Amino acid sequence: MTVLTTAPRKLALAPPRSRRRGAAWLKRLPLLPAMIFTIVVTQIPFLLTLWYSFQKYNLNYPNRPRQFPTVANYREVFSDPIFRTAALNTLEFTAVPVIASVLLGLGIAILLNRRVFGRGLLRTLIISPFLVMSAAAALIWKYSILDTTFGVLNYVLKPFGVHNVNWIGTHSQLTIITFLTWQWTPFMVLIILAGLQSQNEEILEAARVDGAGAWRIFRALTLPHLRMYLELGILLGSIYIVQAFDSIYLITQGGPATDTTNLPYYIYQVAFQAYDIGRASAMSVVVVVATIIIATLALRTISSIFSDDAMSRG
C-alpha cells in the first residue's frame, strides 16, 4: 500500500502591520502639503472664531475686560429675531435659486446638446453671465436694468402698462432671487451638459430601436445617468449661494428693513458695523454647524430621490 504524501504549501507571509502602515502613509505623502494648507486656511480661522464666540469682545469697548468662557453670545443669537429672519431669508435665497437654476440649466443643457446651427456661439452666450464679476453684474442690474427711471426693464414693459416701478423697493426678495438664478444657471448648464455629452449614444440608439419614446429614454436612461452631475451642481450651488453677500450689499443693502438680510450680510453688520466680534463669531459658528447638518440631510434626500428603487417605481 502506497501512501501519497503531499508537500505542505508555503503560505505567503503577510507583511507586518507596521510595514503596511508605512506603505499607506507613503501613498498619502504627496497629499501632505495640500492637507497642511487646508488646515491652516480653514481650521485655524474656525478655531479662532470658536474662541471669540465664547468671549464678550466688542471693539467699541477695547478696555473692557473679556469674559471667558461665556455662552451669553449664543443666548443672544438664538433670542435675536433679526437672526431668525436672516436665517429664513438665507434658506429662501438658497433653495429657490438652486432649484430654479437646476431646472433651467437642465432644460438649456438638453437644447444645447442637440446639433443646431451656431451651437458654439450659443454656449458662449449662455455661460457669459457666470463669467461676469458678481459685483459688476450687481451694479449693472441695479442701475441699468432695475432703475426706476432709466432701467431697461421698465422701458421694455412700458407698452404693457408697467412703468416707473421701483423693483428693488417693492419686489426686493424677487429681485435677489432672480439675480442669483440668472447668475448660477450657466454653472448648472456647464455641469449638466458635461453629463449629457458623456452619455453613451449606442445605448440611446438601442432604446430608440426598441421603440422607447423621448420621455421614456429621458426618465429611464438620461436622468439616472445625470444623477451625480445634478447632485454635484446642487451641492456646489448651495455652498456658494448660501454665502451670497456682494449682490445683497450692492443692490438692496439688506432692505427694505430686513427683507433681504441674509446671514452673511447680518454677520457683516454685527461684526463691522456694530463691532461686536463675540456675537458675530457665535453667529458664524451656528451658521457653519447648521450648514453642515442641512447639507448632509439635503444630499441624503437627493440620493434617495435618484436611487434606483425610486426611479424604478417612477
Side-chain angles (χ1 to χ4, degrees):
M1 182 177 182
T2 304
V3 179
L4 299 177
T5 59
T6 57
R9 296 181 179 177
K10 293 182 179 180
L11 298 177
L13 295 177
R17 183 177 299 180
S18 60
R19 187 181 300 175
R20 293 200 301 269
R21 289 180 179 176
W25 277 106
L26 189 61
K27 294 179 180 178
R28 300 189 184 114
L29 189 60
L31 299 176
L32 190 59
M35 186 183 303
I36 295 175
F37 177 79
T38 303
I39 292 174
V40 170
V41 172
T42 62
Q43 300 308 311
I44 292 179
F46 178 75
L47 292 177
L48 289 175
T49 303
L50 188 62
W51 168 266
Y52 285 126
S53 70
F54 289 104
Q55 300 184 32
K56 295 298 291 182
Y57 180 28
N58 194 312
L59 295 179
N60 288 319
Y61 309 98
N63 297 324
R64 185 175 66 182
R66 302 180 190 177
Q67 303 174 14
F68 181 85
T70 175
V71 294
N73 292 323
Y74 289 94
R75 284 199 300 266
E76 292 180 11
V77 167
F78 287 110
S79 61
D80 187 358
I82 300 180
F83 180 81
R84 292 193 292 268
T85 301
L88 293 176
N89 289 340
T90 303
L91 184 62
E92 180 183 359
F93 294 158
T94 303
V96 177
V98 166
I99 294 173
S101 61
V102 166
L103 295 178
L104 289 173
L106 179 61
I108 295 173
I110 291 175
L111 294 176
L112 292 180
N113 194 43
R114 301 175 179 272
R115 289 184 174 86
V116 295
F117 177 75
R119 183 171 61 173
L121 178 61
L122 291 176
R123 290 179 179 178
T124 304
L125 293 176
I126 288 296
I127 66 174
S128 58
F130 187 68
L131 303 178
V132 179
M133 196 163 42
S134 182
L139 292 175
I140 290 174
W141 272 66
K142 181 176 182 178
Y143 294 110
S144 298
I145 298 178
L146 301 175
D147 187 80
T148 305
T149 306
F150 303 103
V152 175
L153 184 59
N154 282 330
Y155 178 79
V156 172
L157 296 178
K158 188 174 182 180
F160 303 97
V162 179
H163 55 88
N164 296 331
V165 177
N166 184 7
W167 297 98
I168 297 176
T170 58
H171 306 286
S172 56
Q173 291 188 343
L174 180 61
T175 297
I176 297 299
I177 290 173
T178 305
F179 175 81
L180 293 174
T181 303
W182 168 84
Q183 186 180 28
W184 286 95
T185 295
F187 177 75
M188 302 300 178
V189 170
L190 288 176
I191 292 179
I192 298 173
L193 186 60
L196 290 172
Q197 292 183 344
S198 66
Q199 196 171 12
N200 193 337
E201 289 292 337
E202 295 180 357
I203 297 178
L204 298 178
E205 187 62 31
R208 296 188 190 97
V209 172
D210 290 339
W215 170 247
R216 177 67 177 175
I217 293 175
F218 174 78
R219 186 177 63 86
L221 297 177
T222 304
L223 197 57
H225 174 76
L226 292 176
R227 169 186 170 179
M228 59 181 179
Y229 298 93
L230 293 172
E231 290 179 355
L232 179 62
I234 292 173
L235 176 62
L236 295 179
S238 300
I239 291 174
Y240 286 107
I241 294 177
V242 78
Q243 304 175 30
F245 172 80
D246 44 5
S247 58
I248 293 176
Y249 177 80
L250 293 172
I251 295 177
T252 63
Q253 288 80 44
T258 57
D259 287 351
T260 58
T261 298
N262 65 345
L263 289 174
Y265 186 76
Y266 188 47
I267 293 174
Y268 159 79
Q269 287 182 314
V270 173
F272 298 103
Q273 293 181 357
Y275 300 108
D276 194 344
I277 304 302
R279 188 158 65 97
S281 299
M283 292 167 56
S284 301
V285 172
V286 172
V287 169
V288 169
V289 174
T291 302
I292 293 174
I293 295 174
I294 293 173
T296 302
L297 295 176
L299 282 178
R300 290 183 178 179
T301 303
I302 295 169
S303 298
S304 64
I305 291 175
F306 286 98
S307 63
D308 295 335
D309 294 337
M311 295 300 298
S312 62
R313 286 196 300 268

